[in-house]
Structure formats: structure tokens, C-alpha cells
Amino acid sequence: MFDFELIDSSLEGSMMGENPAEQARLATMAPRLRDDIGGLDGYTIVDIAPVRDKALSHHLESCGNCALSFAREVGAEIAVTGSVQKVSNLILNINAYAFDVETGRPLARGSADIRSNSDESWRRGLAYLWENVLAGQLEDAR
């Protein structure tokens, strides 16, 4: 499970730069999803520390198969990436993807739209995505 990335396509982001509150929210996303995935039978979370800096220096959703390469380096069988796309302070989208490292085959993918840029909406959006989409797909993948 790699760290979530922020895709800020809002005018605010291009004019004002990074928003510290959003960065703090972003930092909570992967740990929450790691805990959820680690709670499933048959899944063990692999420490990404040896490749974290490399992963953070790439945009994992658009770098080809670099997430698979990084996951392979740490001995993971599944690579999980995530992002939050900010269209505006009212419209955001949480995305997560899981791929088989050996084959590159998608195992799980989902998206949740949220309406408001707050701690609560990000938390609820990720919980919804996990409970209603990703958990079942990952259970079926094992």
C-alpha cells in the first residue's frame, strides 16, 4: 500500500499552492487503507519504507508500471495505490487501485465522490470506498 497522492486540478491549488490541511488529510489515507487491507484474511501489509522516496517522486497512476516495480522490490504480491483528485473545494474524488505484481492484472479498483473538503468527508469517503467496493473485490481476489 503506497501513500495516496493528491491530484489538484482546482484553480485554488494552482494559485495558492499546497494546502497544509489537505496534506494532513492525505497523510491519513494510506494508513487507514493499510489497516483495512491488513484486517482481511490472507493479506499481510508489506513495509514500503525501502522504496517510499522513489514512489513519492513518481506519479504512480501515470508512470507506467513503476508501482509494480516498487512493490516487487519490497517483496509484495499486490501493489495498491490511491489518489484524491480535487476539482474544487466542493468536488473531490477518492480513487484506489490494486494490481497483481507478477501479472499486472487489476484485482480491485474503485472511486468515491465526496462533496466538501473536510476531514470528515475524506474519512467517510474512504470508509465508503472500502466497505462498498474494495473489501469485496480484494476478498474475491484471494
Side-chain angles (χ1 to χ4, degrees):
M1 175 73 238
F2 292 98
D3 295 324
F4 269 64
E5 300 172 336
L6 180 65
I7 303 167
D8 190 348
S9 54
S10 72
L11 184 57
E12 177 188 6
S14 62
M15 291 177 57
M16 305 294 284
E18 281 188 359
N19 177 325
E22 290 170 353
Q23 293 302 311
R25 286 183 204 112
L26 194 64
T28 68
M29 302 295 276
R32 285 187 179 132
L33 196 52
R34 280 185 193 107
D35 289 346
D36 289 335
I37 294 169
L40 290 177
D41 287 338
Y43 286 87
T44 302
I45 299 300
V46 175
D47 184 10
I48 64 158
V51 296
R52 176 174 265 134
D53 289 341
K54 283 195 284 188
L56 290 172
S57 71
H58 290 73
H59 180 63
L60 296 180
E61 286 188 12
S62 64
C63 65
N65 292 328
C66 65
L68 300 179
S69 298
F70 299 151
R72 194 174 295 113
E73 282 186 52
V74 294
E77 296 175 13
I78 297 171
V80 181
T81 63
S83 65
V84 175
Q85 180 181 11
K86 178 182 174 184
V87 177
S88 70
N89 272 322
L90 180 60
I91 303 169
L92 298 99
N93 187 282
I94 301 170
N95 305 287
Y97 310 91
F99 298 93
D100 181 286
V101 170
E102 185 176 323
T103 66
R105 182 176 64 91
L107 301 175
R109 61 177 53 176
S111 181
D113 292 336
I114 57 175
R115 297 294 182 261
S116 106
N117 192 1
S118 68
D119 292 350
E120 182 178 357
S121 66
W122 285 46
R123 194 171 38 253
R124 284 183 173 186
L126 185 62
Y128 176 88
L129 181 58
W130 172 250
E131 293 165 9
N132 295 287
V133 181
L134 299 174
Q137 291 176 359
L138 287 171
E139 286 173 346
D140 292 345
R142 278 290 177 203

